[in-house]
Amino acid sequence: KRGATEPQKELCCKKPRDSQISISLPVASDPQVRSQYLNFRGGLRFGKLLEDIDAFAGNVAFLHCDDGRSDTAQHTLVTACVDRVD
């Protein structure tokens, strides 16, 4: 949408499955992934996981908001902070 300047004028009618994407983190089988998500004791780096979940949610939101037209400007997405996960 480079150079697009038109605002989106109508809402898209999308179902959640229209924006569905999935990812696999092969921690057990891929040493590079394992080194990113496990600490030196073998425990999960929870902050790294939350960081990636936040980025993933941004990608899903972008797909869901996109109207598929090349003449409309890109949306600006904002994510919220999670202070506690129980």
Side-chain angles (χ1 to χ4, degrees), residues 27-47:
V27 175
S29 62
D30 188 332
Q32 187 174 5
V33 173
R34 184 172 36 252
S35 70
Q36 290 178 6
Y37 287 93
L38 298 181
N39 62 25
F40 69 95
R41 291 183 181 159
L44 178 65
R45 291 181 58 207
F46 198 64

Side-chain angles (χ1 to χ4, degrees), residues 21-67:
I21 53 178
S22 63
I23 188 170
S24 172
L25 294 173
V27 175
S29 62
D30 188 332
Q32 187 174 5
V33 173
R34 184 172 36 252
S35 70
Q36 290 178 6
Y37 287 93
L38 298 181
N39 62 25
F40 69 95
R41 291 183 181 159
L44 178 65
R45 291 181 58 207
F46 198 64
K48 171 68 172 158
L49 181 62
L50 288 177
E51 178 184 333
D52 288 348
I53 289 171
D54 184 54
F56 189 75
N59 290 334
V60 172
F62 183 83
L63 284 174
H64 197 72
C65 292
D66 187 24
D67 65 359

